[in-house]
Amino acid sequence: MWQGILGHDDVVAKFRQALERGRLASTFLFVGPAGTGKRAFALKLAQALLCQRNPETQLDPCGQCPGCVQVAALTHPDLLIVKKPADKSALPLALLIGDHEHRGHEGFCHDISLKPFMGGRKVGIIDDADYLNVEGANALLKTLEEPPPRSVLILIGTSADKQLPTIRSRAQIIRFRPLTGAIVAQLLVEQGIATDPAEAQRLGQFSEGSLDRAAELADPELWTFRGDMLAALARQPLDSVRLAQTVTSFIDAAGKEAPLRRARSRLLVGFAIDFFRVLVRRLHGANLDAAAANQPELSEMSALAQRAIQSGWTETSATAALERCLETLSHIDRNANQGTMVESWLDDVASGAS
């Protein structure tokens, strides 16, 4: 464990080696599943580079000097952070190069070009890099091609494939692997998200290596609804109209803010994807008994898939449903009307099953 960050010792080793050799790159692209600690790692790296007590080659920020304290408080004058506002679908261009009246004289690119205020480095972090559109990526081009001296830029995303070629070709890609279920469970308890170790372990198994996903799953009502929704999907004929109404109501209950509703939508569609994946495997003759013996959630899903097969699901219909679920998941963040999305998704699943 490095500086309280679990699961990424291999990434720490890469940075230590680069600093010891004096070959630290100027631009990095951190990629990996959401909730695996990429942003926390970026901030700790910034703290190490801006620490006023320990040499940066040690990659061991003291945590007590003014530089470390300011980074922790996100108030360090040489630490720049840009992220997508919750009500926007892309990183606004104004955050990168200023608004129309101050174009080129404000924003991330302007600020990172200034000399460090405290005489060391400048560290810029672009969170939500997945939401850089073509205009935003082009605005970053000059900064990426000619990085200011003593500056380090860190872009944080989920996949290199989601970044435009202009970004990928100018950054060193650092891959963060999903956390283990045990690490997720440990973090859930340490952060007070789960108080029962057994419940934390269960959430860790469903987390897909993401602490964010595990935290979202720590809602008893979600699990009750999951069971009802999957039971409805397993039955044929599928009453898509009634199920869409129920799903939409549950999504709306997440809150008035669009990000909360989108997060719940992703979880529900993800549950459906998990179910149809198991169903397709069962229909193709896969024996899941051995794996299910050590994975209670797989055992439950396998039993539900068996009922679905008896109800009339076929290889063709289940595969079509899985593909439609995956397509829906990729569209959630771009769809302004959740109700329409849910209706279309479930209607297509029902049509393919009939």
Side-chain angles (χ1 to χ4, degrees):
M1 179 176 67
W2 173 69
Q3 292 289 317
I5 296 177
L6 297 169
H8 302 302
D9 290 347
D10 57 329
V11 178
V12 176
K14 289 179 182 178
F15 275 99
R16 277 216 171 98
Q17 188 177 61
L19 285 166
E20 289 171 357
R21 294 179 176 180
R23 295 182 178 179
L24 186 69
S26 59
T27 304
F28 296 94
L29 173 60
F30 287 6
V31 296
T36 53
K38 299 186 298 293
R39 187 174 189 273
F41 192 101
L43 288 172
K44 278 298 179 183
L45 177 61
Q47 201 174 43
L49 296 177
L50 298 174
C51 180
Q52 296 173 322
R53 184 175 298 174
N54 295 341
E56 63 178 32
T57 52
Q58 293 183 6
L59 203 65
D60 185 26
C62 71
Q64 299 174 347
C65 70
C68 285
V69 171
Q70 287 178 311
V71 170
L74 305 183
T75 58
H76 197 293
D78 292 323
L79 174 64
L80 309 174
I81 301 177
V82 171
K83 65 180 301 181
K84 180 182 74 67
D87 60 343
K88 301 293 184 181
S89 60
L91 272 165
L93 189 63
L95 292 179
L96 300 173
I97 56 176
D99 57 27
H100 288 291
E101 296 182 1
H102 305 91
R103 189 61 46 94
H105 299 287
E106 286 185 356
F108 180 87
C109 295
H110 170 268
D111 295 345
I112 197 74
S113 69
L114 302 176
K115 291 182 179 179
F117 286 92
M118 298 175 69
R121 290 185 181 270
K122 291 187 82 73
V123 179
I125 298 174
I126 298 180
D127 212 342
D128 302 321
D130 288 352
Y131 299 99
L132 270 171
N133 55 24
V134 175
E135 192 177 27
N138 288 337
L140 279 173
L141 264 182
K142 183 176 180 181
T143 301
L144 297 180
E145 290 176 344
E146 302 175 14
R150 300 291 295 171
S151 69
V152 174
L153 279 67
I154 303 171
L155 291 84
I156 302 175
T158 57
S159 169
D161 293 337
K162 289 187 176 181
Q163 313 305 318
L164 293 168
T166 52
I167 299 294
R168 290 199 305 268
S169 63
R170 292 166 175 82
Q172 181 176 335
I173 298 176
I174 304 294
R175 302 184 186 279
F176 286 71
R177 292 176 295 185
L179 302 173
T180 65
I183 288 178
V184 172
Q186 179 181 338
L187 292 172
L188 288 172
V189 173
E190 289 179 355
Q191 297 183 17
I193 299 172
T195 56
D196 179 11
E199 174 65 6
Q201 188 67 33
R202 185 177 75 90
L203 293 173
Q205 292 175 346
F206 277 93
S207 69
E208 298 178 0
S210 166
L211 181 62
D212 288 355
R213 177 177 167 83
E216 291 172 345
L217 292 172
D219 178 1
E221 292 184 2
L222 180 67
W223 291 96
T224 300
F225 189 85
R226 170 184 176 272
D228 294 340
M229 184 186 76
L230 295 185
L233 287 173
R235 288 193 295 268
Q236 285 206 41
L238 174 61
D239 188 345
S240 62
V241 175
R242 178 177 294 181
L243 183 56
Q245 292 172 344
T246 305
V247 169
T248 299
S249 295
F250 190 69
I251 290 172
D252 289 342
K256 295 182 178 181
E257 297 181 6
L260 294 175
R261 295 197 298 274
R262 284 196 294 267
R264 180 163 285 187
S265 297
R266 283 192 292 270
L267 285 175
L268 296 183
V269 175
F271 289 149
I273 289 172
D274 293 340
F275 164 66
F276 283 116
R277 277 177 172 160
V278 172
L279 178 56
V280 168
R281 291 172 67 189
R282 285 296 302 265
L283 284 163
H284 279 85
N287 185 351
L288 306 179
D289 293 341
N294 299 316
Q295 300 180 50
E297 70 281 2
L298 180 57
S299 177
E300 171 203 15
M301 201 78 78
S302 182
L304 186 63
Q306 183 58 41
R307 292 202 296 271
I309 294 171
Q310 295 170 352
S311 179
W313 281 97
T314 66
E315 291 183 21
T316 300
S317 60
T319 301
L322 175 58
E323 291 174 350
R324 185 63 178 87
C325 291
L326 291 168
E327 180 185 2
T328 299
L329 187 64
S330 69
H331 290 165
I332 285 176
D333 286 321
R334 300 196 295 269
N335 197 303
N337 191 315
Q338 296 288 308
T340 301
M341 178 206 71
V342 170
E343 291 176 5
S344 175
W345 162 46
L346 293 174
D347 183 60
D348 287 349
V349 170
S351 297
S354 60

mmCIF file of all heavy atoms in Angstrom, residues 272-297:
data_model
loop_
_atom_site.group_PDB
_atom_site.id
_atom_site.type_symbol
_atom_site.label_atom_id
_atom_site.label_comp_id
_atom_site.label_asym_id
_atom_site.label_seq_id
_atom_site.Cartn_x
_atom_site.Cartn_y
_atom_site.Cartn_z
ATOM 1 N N ALA A 272 -29.353 -6.234 -15.642
ATOM 2 C CA ALA A 272 -29.939 -6.969 -16.774
ATOM 3 C C ALA A 272 -28.847 -7.613 -17.621
ATOM 4 O O ALA A 272 -28.991 -8.751 -18.084
ATOM 5 C CB ALA A 272 -30.796 -6.033 -17.617
ATOM 6 N N ILE A 273 -27.740 -6.898 -17.818
ATOM 7 C CA ILE A 273 -26.618 -7.447 -18.592
ATOM 8 C C ILE A 273 -26.065 -8.694 -17.902
ATOM 9 O O ILE A 273 -25.810 -9.719 -18.548
ATOM 10 C CB ILE A 273 -25.519 -6.377 -18.770
ATOM 11 C CG1 ILE A 273 -25.998 -5.293 -19.738
ATOM 12 C CG2 ILE A 273 -24.224 -7.012 -19.277
ATOM 13 C CD1 ILE A 273 -25.068 -4.102 -19.823
ATOM 14 N N ASP A 274 -25.879 -8.618 -16.585
ATOM 15 C CA ASP A 274 -25.385 -9.777 -15.833
ATOM 16 C C ASP A 274 -26.307 -10.983 -16.016
ATOM 17 O O ASP A 274 -25.844 -12.111 -16.215
ATOM 18 C CB ASP A 274 -25.282 -9.438 -14.347
ATOM 19 C CG ASP A 274 -24.217 -8.396 -14.046
ATOM 20 O OD1 ASP A 274 -23.319 -8.219 -14.888
ATOM 21 O OD2 ASP A 274 -24.291 -7.764 -12.975
ATOM 22 N N PHE A 275 -27.621 -10.722 -15.949
ATOM 23 C CA PHE A 275 -28.593 -11.806 -16.084
ATOM 24 C C PHE A 275 -28.529 -12.435 -17.476
ATOM 25 O O PHE A 275 -28.462 -13.662 -17.617
ATOM 26 C CB PHE A 275 -30.000 -11.285 -15.800
ATOM 27 C CG PHE A 275 -31.093 -12.207 -16.270
ATOM 28 C CD1 PHE A 275 -31.262 -13.450 -15.679
ATOM 29 C CD2 PHE A 275 -31.922 -11.851 -17.319
ATOM 30 C CE1 PHE A 275 -32.255 -14.319 -16.120
ATOM 31 C CE2 PHE A 275 -32.915 -12.709 -17.769
ATOM 32 C CZ PHE A 275 -33.090 -13.947 -17.166
ATOM 33 N N PHE A 276 -28.554 -11.595 -18.508
ATOM 34 C CA PHE A 276 -28.578 -12.146 -19.864
ATOM 35 C C PHE A 276 -27.264 -12.822 -20.231
ATOM 36 O O PHE A 276 -27.251 -13.765 -21.034
ATOM 37 C CB PHE A 276 -28.955 -11.056 -20.869
ATOM 38 C CG PHE A 276 -30.420 -10.725 -20.876
ATOM 39 C CD1 PHE A 276 -30.865 -9.468 -20.502
ATOM 40 C CD2 PHE A 276 -31.357 -11.682 -21.246
ATOM 41 C CE1 PHE A 276 -32.220 -9.171 -20.493
ATOM 42 C CE2 PHE A 276 -32.714 -11.397 -21.244
ATOM 43 C CZ PHE A 276 -33.153 -10.139 -20.860
ATOM 44 N N ARG A 277 -26.161 -12.368 -19.649
ATOM 45 C CA ARG A 277 -24.892 -13.062 -19.896
ATOM 46 C C ARG A 277 -24.946 -14.489 -19.349
ATOM 47 O O ARG A 277 -24.509 -15.435 -20.010
ATOM 48 C CB ARG A 277 -23.745 -12.281 -19.247
ATOM 49 C CG ARG A 277 -23.231 -11.126 -20.093
ATOM 50 C CD ARG A 277 -22.160 -10.361 -19.372
ATOM 51 N NE ARG A 277 -21.542 -9.369 -20.249
ATOM 52 C CZ ARG A 277 -20.864 -8.310 -19.821
ATOM 53 N NH1 ARG A 277 -20.700 -8.110 -18.508
ATOM 54 N NH2 ARG A 277 -20.342 -7.455 -20.669
ATOM 55 N N VAL A 278 -25.458 -14.635 -18.144
ATOM 56 C CA VAL A 278 -25.579 -15.969 -17.555
ATOM 57 C C VAL A 278 -26.575 -16.807 -18.357
ATOM 58 O O VAL A 278 -26.341 -17.997 -18.616
ATOM 59 C CB VAL A 278 -26.015 -15.871 -16.081
ATOM 60 C CG1 VAL A 278 -26.323 -17.258 -15.516
ATOM 61 C CG2 VAL A 278 -24.914 -15.205 -15.258
ATOM 62 N N LEU A 279 -27.670 -16.180 -18.783
ATOM 63 C CA LEU A 279 -28.677 -16.895 -19.571
ATOM 64 C C LEU A 279 -28.086 -17.401 -20.888
ATOM 65 O O LEU A 279 -28.318 -18.560 -21.282
ATOM 66 C CB LEU A 279 -29.874 -15.971 -19.833
ATOM 67 C CG LEU A 279 -31.009 -16.544 -20.703
ATOM 68 C CD1 LEU A 279 -31.542 -17.847 -20.103
ATOM 69 C CD2 LEU A 279 -32.125 -15.519 -20.859
ATOM 70 N N VAL A 280 -27.336 -16.561 -21.573
ATOM 71 C CA VAL A 280 -26.713 -16.970 -22.837
ATOM 72 C C VAL A 280 -25.748 -18.130 -22.603
ATOM 73 O O VAL A 280 -25.710 -19.095 -23.386
ATOM 74 C CB VAL A 280 -25.985 -15.774 -23.493
ATOM 75 C CG1 VAL A 280 -25.100 -16.242 -24.647
ATOM 76 C CG2 VAL A 280 -26.994 -14.743 -23.996
ATOM 77 N N ARG A 281 -24.992 -18.055 -21.531
ATOM 78 C CA ARG A 281 -24.048 -19.143 -21.231
ATOM 79 C C ARG A 281 -24.796 -20.455 -20.958
ATOM 80 O O ARG A 281 -24.382 -21.520 -21.421
ATOM 81 C CB ARG A 281 -23.186 -18.760 -20.025
ATOM 82 C CG ARG A 281 -22.200 -17.632 -20.305
ATOM 83 C CD ARG A 281 -21.513 -17.166 -19.027
ATOM 84 N NE ARG A 281 -20.636 -18.189 -18.483
ATOM 85 C CZ ARG A 281 -20.057 -18.091 -17.289
ATOM 86 N NH1 ARG A 281 -20.269 -17.023 -16.525
ATOM 87 N NH2 ARG A 281 -19.270 -19.051 -16.855
ATOM 88 N N ARG A 282 -25.875 -20.369 -20.216
ATOM 89 C CA ARG A 282 -26.667 -21.566 -19.932
ATOM 90 C C ARG A 282 -27.256 -22.140 -21.222
ATOM 91 O O ARG A 282 -27.273 -23.354 -21.429
ATOM 92 C CB ARG A 282 -27.795 -21.240 -18.955
ATOM 93 C CG ARG A 282 -27.355 -21.040 -17.505
ATOM 94 C CD ARG A 282 -26.782 -22.308 -16.910
ATOM 95 N NE ARG A 282 -27.718 -23.425 -16.944
ATOM 96 C CZ ARG A 282 -28.525 -23.773 -15.945
ATOM 97 N NH1 ARG A 282 -28.491 -23.082 -14.817
ATOM 98 N NH2 ARG A 282 -29.323 -24.814 -16.052
ATOM 99 N N LEU A 283 -27.753 -21.266 -22.078
ATOM 100 C CA LEU A 283 -28.357 -21.712 -23.329
ATOM 101 C C LEU A 283 -27.329 -22.342 -24.272
ATOM 102 O O LEU A 283 -27.680 -23.159 -25.124
ATOM 103 C CB LEU A 283 -29.059 -20.531 -24.010
ATOM 104 C CG LEU A 283 -30.400 -20.119 -23.383
ATOM 105 C CD1 LEU A 283 -30.805 -18.726 -23.845
ATOM 106 C CD2 LEU A 283 -31.487 -21.144 -23.741
ATOM 107 N N HIS A 284 -26.060 -21.945 -24.114
ATOM 108 C CA HIS A 284 -24.998 -22.531 -24.929
ATOM 109 C C HIS A 284 -24.396 -23.777 -24.268
ATOM 110 O O HIS A 284 -23.370 -24.299 -24.723
ATOM 111 C CB HIS A 284 -23.892 -21.503 -25.185
ATOM 112 C CG HIS A 284 -24.207 -20.552 -26.305
ATOM 113 N ND1 HIS A 284 -24.950 -19.413 -26.116
ATOM 114 C CD2 HIS A 284 -23.900 -20.589 -27.631
ATOM 115 C CE1 HIS A 284 -25.078 -18.781 -27.276
ATOM 116 N NE2 HIS A 284 -24.456 -19.473 -28.211
ATOM 117 N N GLY A 285 -25.007 -24.215 -23.194
ATOM 118 C CA GLY A 285 -24.590 -25.458 -22.560
ATOM 119 C C GLY A 285 -23.483 -25.343 -21.546
ATOM 120 O O GLY A 285 -22.913 -26.362 -21.136
ATOM 121 N N ALA A 286 -23.147 -24.133 -21.112
ATOM 122 C CA ALA A 286 -22.077 -23.964 -20.125
ATOM 123 C C ALA A 286 -22.509 -24.531 -18.776
ATOM 124 O O ALA A 286 -23.645 -24.324 -18.334
ATOM 125 C CB ALA A 286 -21.727 -22.482 -19.982
ATOM 126 N N ASN A 287 -21.593 -25.247 -18.125
ATOM 127 C CA ASN A 287 -21.861 -25.794 -16.796
ATOM 128 C C ASN A 287 -21.350 -24.798 -15.759
ATOM 129 O O ASN A 287 -20.145 -24.639 -15.587
ATOM 130 C CB ASN A 287 -21.166 -27.145 -16.635
ATOM 131 C CG ASN A 287 -21.515 -27.825 -15.318
ATOM 132 O OD1 ASN A 287 -22.146 -27.225 -14.446
ATOM 133 N ND2 ASN A 287 -21.123 -29.083 -15.184
ATOM 134 N N LEU A 288 -22.275 -24.154 -15.063
ATOM 135 C CA LEU A 288 -21.908 -23.111 -14.112
ATOM 136 C C LEU A 288 -21.920 -23.609 -12.672
ATOM 137 O O LEU A 288 -21.673 -22.834 -11.752
ATOM 138 C CB LEU A 288 -22.878 -21.926 -14.244
ATOM 139 C CG LEU A 288 -23.033 -21.324 -15.641
ATOM 140 C CD1 LEU A 288 -24.040 -20.182 -15.618
ATOM 141 C CD2 LEU A 288 -21.694 -20.838 -16.166
ATOM 142 N N ASP A 289 -22.185 -24.895 -12.478
ATOM 143 C CA ASP A 289 -22.361 -25.405 -11.119
ATOM 144 C C ASP A 289 -21.107 -25.252 -10.262
ATOM 145 O O ASP A 289 -21.173 -24.856 -9.097
ATOM 146 C CB ASP A 289 -22.768 -26.884 -11.166
ATOM 147 C CG ASP A 289 -24.152 -27.062 -11.774
ATOM 148 O OD1 ASP A 289 -24.900 -26.062 -11.807
ATOM 149 O OD2 ASP A 289 -24.477 -28.186 -12.209
ATOM 150 N N ALA A 290 -19.932 -25.561 -10.848
ATOM 151 C CA ALA A 290 -18.696 -25.489 -10.064
ATOM 152 C C ALA A 290 -18.396 -24.059 -9.630
ATOM 153 O O ALA A 290 -18.066 -23.798 -8.468
ATOM 154 C CB ALA A 290 -17.527 -26.042 -10.882
ATOM 155 N N ALA A 291 -18.538 -23.114 -10.559
ATOM 156 C CA ALA A 291 -18.290 -21.711 -10.224
ATOM 157 C C ALA A 291 -19.339 -21.190 -9.261
ATOM 158 O O ALA A 291 -19.040 -20.429 -8.342
ATOM 159 C CB ALA A 291 -18.267 -20.870 -11.493
ATOM 160 N N ALA A 292 -20.586 -21.606 -9.436
ATOM 161 C CA ALA A 292 -21.681 -21.117 -8.597
ATOM 162 C C ALA A 292 -21.535 -21.571 -7.147
ATOM 163 O O ALA A 292 -22.029 -20.911 -6.231
ATOM 164 C CB ALA A 292 -23.018 -21.574 -9.161
ATOM 165 N N ALA A 293 -20.834 -22.673 -6.935
ATOM 166 C CA ALA A 293 -20.666 -23.180 -5.575
ATOM 167 C C ALA A 293 -19.916 -22.191 -4.689
ATOM 168 O O ALA A 293 -20.145 -22.127 -3.477
ATOM 169 C CB ALA A 293 -19.919 -24.512 -5.612
ATOM 170 N N ASN A 294 -19.019 -21.411 -5.289
ATOM 171 C CA ASN A 294 -18.238 -20.426 -4.531
ATOM 172 C C ASN A 294 -18.718 -18.999 -4.739
ATOM 173 O O ASN A 294 -18.145 -18.070 -4.181
ATOM 174 C CB ASN A 294 -16.758 -20.523 -4.932
ATOM 175 C CG ASN A 294 -16.170 -21.888 -4.624
ATOM 176 O OD1 ASN A 294 -16.413 -22.438 -3.553
ATOM 177 N ND2 ASN A 294 -15.415 -22.439 -5.566
ATOM 178 N N GLN A 295 -19.754 -18.832 -5.562
ATOM 179 C CA GLN A 295 -20.281 -17.491 -5.844
ATOM 180 C C GLN A 295 -21.800 -17.514 -5.700
ATOM 181 O O GLN A 295 -22.515 -17.866 -6.645
ATOM 182 C CB GLN A 295 -19.897 -17.056 -7.258
ATOM 183 C CG GLN A 295 -18.400 -16.993 -7.514
ATOM 184 C CD GLN A 295 -18.079 -16.558 -8.920
ATOM 185 O OE1 GLN A 295 -18.584 -15.556 -9.421
ATOM 186 N NE2 GLN A 295 -17.230 -17.312 -9.597
ATOM 187 N N PRO A 296 -22.298 -17.160 -4.525
ATOM 188 C CA PRO A 296 -23.742 -17.210 -4.285
ATOM 189 C C PRO A 296 -24.548 -16.415 -5.306
ATOM 190 O O PRO A 296 -25.633 -16.842 -5.712
ATOM 191 C CB PRO A 296 -23.875 -16.591 -2.887
ATOM 192 C CG PRO A 296 -22.551 -16.836 -2.239
ATOM 193 C CD PRO A 296 -21.551 -16.730 -3.338
ATOM 194 N N GLU A 297 -23.997 -15.264 -5.758
ATOM 195 C CA GLU A 297 -24.743 -14.439 -6.702
ATOM 196 C C GLU A 297 -24.876 -15.148 -8.051
ATOM 197 O O GLU A 297 -25.897 -15.044 -8.733
ATOM 198 C CB GLU A 297 -24.076 -13.069 -6.888
ATOM 199 C CG GLU A 297 -22.747 -13.060 -7.624
ATOM 200 C CD GLU A 297 -21.564 -13.477 -6.787
ATOM 201 O OE1 GLU A 297 -21.771 -13.824 -5.606
ATOM 202 O OE2 GLU A 297 -20.431 -13.451 -7.302
#
